[in-house]
Amino acid sequence: MSEKLRLLAEESYAGELRALAAHEGGHRPPGWKLSPRQVVTYLMGGVADDGTPITPKYVGSRALIETAVATLATDRALLLLGMPGTAKSWVSEHLAAAITGDSTLVIQCTAGTDENQIRYGWNYAKLLADGPSREALVPTPLMRAMEAGKICRLEELTRMGSDVQDTLITVLSEKMLPIPELNTAIHARRGFNIIATANNRDKGVNDLSSALKRRFNVVVLPLPERVDEEIAIIVKRVGEMTATLDLPAPPNVAEEVARVVSIFRELRGGATEDGKVALKTPSGGLSTAEGIAVLVGGISQATFFNDGKLTPATLAASIIGAVVKDPVQDRVVLGEYLETVLKKKPGFEDYYAALTEMI
Ligand SMILES: Nc1ncnc2c1ncn2[C@@H]1O[C@H](COP(=O)(O)OP(=O)(O)O)[C@@H](O)[C@H]1O
Ligand SMILES: [Mg+2]
């Protein structure tokens, strides 16, 4: 087992990427390690030409992933949009790993991100000693991606100020990064592109200017439509994550995932599964990713404090933590849900008891 807490996509799936790359597999755009078809196989799962099984990374619509991959083969950048926890960052990491073998060129955009973190910065000691020179320049992940012909990932693009976002316009339209201090410019190598993610639920975001928007193709990643899809995603990811954490998997994981998903979907959708009772929705997203976090937390608690037995009681605190993001309103929403729905829901008696005891 690796000493690293988390392996990069290109490290975890090095074998799969090697097996896919070993065969032609169709036309490869300049600078790409795999053909677009192979990239889609890597993300959606399948079999490599030499028979190596490829595990699915993204569970959902193949057409969406095809659009994303096709976009990256053009001169337009890709913007993955969606609710929190819809696998935007996950897909972005795996796309970068499959296309260029390097998912590490990432910029996390925040309200405090300035132009120096997007374009380039300066090593001030060198700058003062010797004046502006290439050695005194500190390249950003974006600049390194341009020079190496790789993919730069911009996480949560709309969180940084609009003026900073607009520094990307030259990069995306001219494929060039001017460095006026050195009277030169970095020209992007073939293979360079940008994958940005943005959250369509955040408050206080800075919408993209229309000039910048025009340079992105938007792919919206949805929450899983079907309940069985959502259960499958959570069971798979929980299995992978507990294995990395060296936590033994309790035998009833799938059963508890199904019950937690059922509760989450009712609360998120604002109605009971049969559609008969309308419900208030909590302020948080209750996404698939929250479901994964609840189960992993519960399994850890079960392992260390409950003889490995995963029960509604070991999951209750994490469920409440996921639902109650606003301590006043969400507590009321959950309380009402418990009394009007969960109390009478067949097969959920133990969840009702555990949650009412703890809320
Ligand atoms: N459709 C899906 N297919 C595979 N994994 C998913 C899916 N939806 C959510 N996940 C999982 O949810 C977790 C969080 O996703 P993340 O990419 O951080 O969300 P986002 O960036 O959209 O907020 C990841 O571990 C990912 O594997
Ligand atoms: Mg993200």
Side-chain angles (χ1 to χ4, degrees):
M1 183 176 285
S2 161
E3 282 306 306
K4 279 194 204 165
L5 185 53
R6 182 181 184 279
L7 291 175
L8 302 170
E10 58 270 32
E11 294 171 336
S12 301
Y13 299 99
E16 292 187 9
L17 290 169
R18 221 176 303 116
L20 285 165
H23 294 264
E24 184 70 27
H27 171 71
R28 290 184 189 172
W32 284 39
K33 296 223 186 255
L34 300 178
S35 70
R37 191 177 288 276
Q38 289 169 324
V39 175
V40 173
T41 304
Y42 171 75
L43 266 115
M44 302 302 298
V47 194
D49 284 341
D50 66 358
T52 307
I54 308 295
T55 56
K57 319 295 178 303
Y58 179 70
V59 181
S61 156
R62 172 177 287 267
L64 282 184
I65 299 297
E66 284 176 356
T67 308
V69 174
T71 297
L72 290 168
T74 69
D75 64 346
R76 286 168 71 83
L78 172 66
L79 175 61
L80 298 172
L81 197 66
M83 302 253 293
T86 44
K88 301 181 296 297
S89 305
W90 176 251
V91 167
S92 145
E93 178 183 355
H94 282 288
L95 284 174
I99 293 171
T100 66
D102 186 352
S103 66
T104 63
L105 298 166
V106 191
I107 301 177
Q108 180 70 47
C109 308
T110 70
T113 304
D114 64 20
E115 277 196 24
N116 297 345
Q117 286 150 291
I118 302 293
R119 290 161 9 122
Y120 50 85
W122 294 102
N123 174 333
Y124 287 102
K126 279 215 181 88
L127 184 65
L128 289 176
D130 308 320
S133 67
R134 185 60 217 248
E135 288 68 47
L137 196 128
V138 181
T140 60
L142 177 71
M143 185 172 152
R144 284 192 276 136
M146 292 179 78
E147 285 183 312
K150 289 188 171 171
I151 287 181
C152 178
R153 298 165 51 207
L154 293 164
E155 283 287 321
E156 307 290 356
L157 178 65
T158 49
R159 291 217 183 136
M160 66 181 182
S162 309
D163 47 336
V164 188
Q165 289 173 14
D166 282 348
T167 48
L168 293 171
I169 294 179
T170 323
V171 171
L172 289 176
S173 55
E174 321 276 326
K175 312 295 174 200
M176 177 190 79
L177 181 65
I179 309 179
E181 294 89 339
L182 301 182
N183 196 18
T184 171
I186 304 288
H187 293 269
R189 280 183 63 157
R190 283 168 172 274
F192 166 72
N193 211 332
I194 288 181
I195 306 177
T197 66
N199 188 320
N200 55 9
R201 204 172 210 270
D202 261 356
K203 301 201 177 79
V205 300
N206 305 292
D207 278 336
L208 300 188
S209 66
S210 41
L212 187 55
K213 216 178 261 167
R214 207 156 49 73
R215 279 153 180 115
F216 278 102
N217 268 0
V218 178
V219 170
V220 179
L221 297 186
L223 283 163
E225 204 173 304
R226 295 200 325 267
V227 66
D228 55 329
E229 249 177 1
E230 187 157 7
I231 294 172
I233 296 169
I234 298 182
V235 169
K236 176 173 151 344
R237 288 293 294 143
V238 167
E240 290 163 359
M241 290 172 76
T242 48
T244 325
L245 295 169
D246 222 358
L247 294 171
N252 59 332
V253 173
E255 193 184 308
E256 302 312 324
V257 169
R259 296 205 279 174
V260 171
V261 166
S262 165
I263 295 174
F264 275 22
R265 286 177 76 97
E266 288 189 326
L267 280 166
R268 181 166 88 208
T272 48
E273 271 165 345
D274 55 13
K276 286 194 183 137
V277 184
L279 301 164
K280 290 194 190 116
T281 52
S283 59
L286 286 186
S287 63
T288 316
E290 300 259 17
I292 295 170
V294 164
L295 264 294
V296 173
I299 292 173
S300 173
Q301 192 165 335
T303 306
F304 298 117
F305 302 111
N306 204 31
D307 297 330
K309 286 201 274 300
L310 184 66
T311 62
T314 52
L315 289 164
S318 312
I319 295 178
I320 294 173
V323 177
V324 181
K325 290 290 191 294
D326 175 317
V328 182
Q329 279 173 18
D330 291 341
R331 201 168 286 276
V332 175
V333 171
L334 181 59
E336 275 183 27
Y337 173 73
L338 292 178
E339 291 311 315
T340 55
V341 179
L342 209 64
K343 195 172 182 177
K344 299 170 225 145
K345 197 170 155 106
F348 285 76
E349 299 77 9
D350 41 1
Y351 273 85
Y352 171 76
L355 288 166
T356 24
E357 189 177 317
M358 209 169 266
I359 189 178

